[in-house]
Amino acid sequence: EAQVTQNPRYLITVTGKKLTVTCSQNMNHEYMSWYRQDPGLGLRQIYYSMNVEVTDKGDVPEGYKVSRKEKRNFPLILESPSPNQTSLYFCASSFGQGNPPLHFGNGTRLTVT
Amino acid sequence: LAKTTQPISMDSYEGQEVNITCSHNNIATNDYITWYQQFPSQGPRFIIQGYKTKVTNEVASLFIPADRKSSTLSLPRVSLSDTAVYYCLVGDGYSSASKIIFGSGTRLSIRP
């Protein structure tokens, strides 16, 4: 089944403890992206990647890192999480050419205390 | 990237046709119009995409006038399960500015 898989679905952590949210897609998509969703603010793009080893900042990249060493994986790294990064995170992917639709994962709900 | 404007919320009843309009006055020649549906705590799901005139699939229709400055998502005979947030996106998606931006969306509530 074609899908975007995020792990974990739920994560509670403390301020300053490094964490990684994984994202993997099995559709051979070139484009991958991370979003965070907060009440009243909609979906905001954190980082995106056009292809392997190519990443770029979205609208809210501060406090986040990403890497794209393989085509299928696009992990989101929080080196030193803070409470304002408590949010619902979504990973998405699509083919890089034309205007194909984005495929989203089921989300990761992160709470930083 | 063209900015979009949608109504914040809409209400309707089961069995009715619902039309959600999106304004995108600065749409560029290469831009497509894409609509997504999102249920609470789930990732957005692609509904339909178009460039001009009318597009129809098993779920919805998308009407785009000749000037392409707006578009209308039409949901025929809605049910309670169509209650969701609907997002209109405009862009070519994969130019140098690949920041795919979601607006606030339209919160559609369907009543029995």
Side-chain angles (χ1 to χ4, degrees):
Chain A
E1 179 188 353
Q3 59 186 3
V4 177
T5 303
Q6 292 179 230
N7 280 298
R9 288 293 309 275
Y10 301 92
L11 180 58
I12 301 174
T13 189
V14 296
T15 299
K17 185 176 181 181
K18 181 180 178 180
L19 65 91
T20 299
V21 183
T22 64
C23 175
S24 180
Q25 50 92 4
N26 62 0
M27 296 168 279
N28 201 33
H29 284 168
E30 295 169 351
Y31 181 92
M32 297 187 75
S33 180
W34 276 102
Y35 293 84
R36 62 177 288 174
Q37 187 168 36
D38 303 289
L41 295 176
L43 281 151
R44 294 181 293 168
Q45 192 179 49
I46 303 171
Y47 269 95
Y48 64 93
S49 170
M50 299 289 283
N51 214 325
V52 175
E53 300 294 0
V54 180
T55 63
D56 209 343
K57 296 178 181 179
D59 293 319
V60 288
E62 294 78 20
Y64 304 94
K65 285 175 56 178
V66 292
S67 69
R68 189 89 183 275
K69 294 184 172 61
E70 305 166 282
K71 197 171 188 178
R72 63 182 294 128
N73 295 323
F74 191 45
L76 179 69
I77 303 157
L78 284 72
E79 295 272 4
S80 182
S82 62
N84 64 13
Q85 292 179 298
T86 292
S87 186
L88 180 58
Y89 292 86
F90 291 103
C91 178
S93 72
S94 72
F95 287 111
Q97 298 299 317
N99 296 278
L102 288 166
H103 295 256
F104 282 82
N106 285 329
T108 296
R109 187 169 293 280
L110 172 65
T111 302
V112 183
T113 60
Chain B
L1 292 173
K3 182 180 177 182
T4 60
T5 303
Q6 305 173 230
I8 293 174
S9 64
M10 294 180 66
D11 296 321
S12 189
Y13 293 91
E14 282 191 294
Q16 299 295 307
E17 178 185 77
V18 171
N19 295 311
I20 306 174
T21 297
C22 179
S23 297
H24 27 80
N25 291 320
N26 298 321
I27 190 168
T29 303
N30 294 331
D31 287 345
Y32 279 70
I33 301 155
T34 310
W35 286 80
Y36 290 85
Q37 174 192 56
Q38 186 181 25
F39 298 112
S41 297
Q42 293 185 26
R45 183 175 70 100
F46 171 81
I47 301 175
I48 198 166
Q49 184 181 72
Y51 184 79
K52 62 180 180 180
T53 61
K54 176 184 175 182
V55 179
T56 298
N57 62 22
E58 64 278 6
V59 176
S61 294
L62 179 60
F63 298 92
I64 305 168
D67 66 5
R68 304 202 324 125
K69 293 183 183 300
S70 67
S71 59
T72 299
L73 174 72
S74 181
L75 304 172
R77 299 182 59 80
V78 293
S79 64
L80 295 176
S81 63
D82 291 315
T83 294
V85 178
Y86 292 82
Y87 295 96
C88 164
L89 276 70
V90 171
D92 65 14
Y94 306 98
S95 66
S96 58
S98 251
K99 299 179 183 181
I100 300 175
I101 299 173
F102 283 74
S104 298
T106 297
R107 187 172 299 278
L108 176 64
S109 298
I110 305 301
R111 300 175 181 175

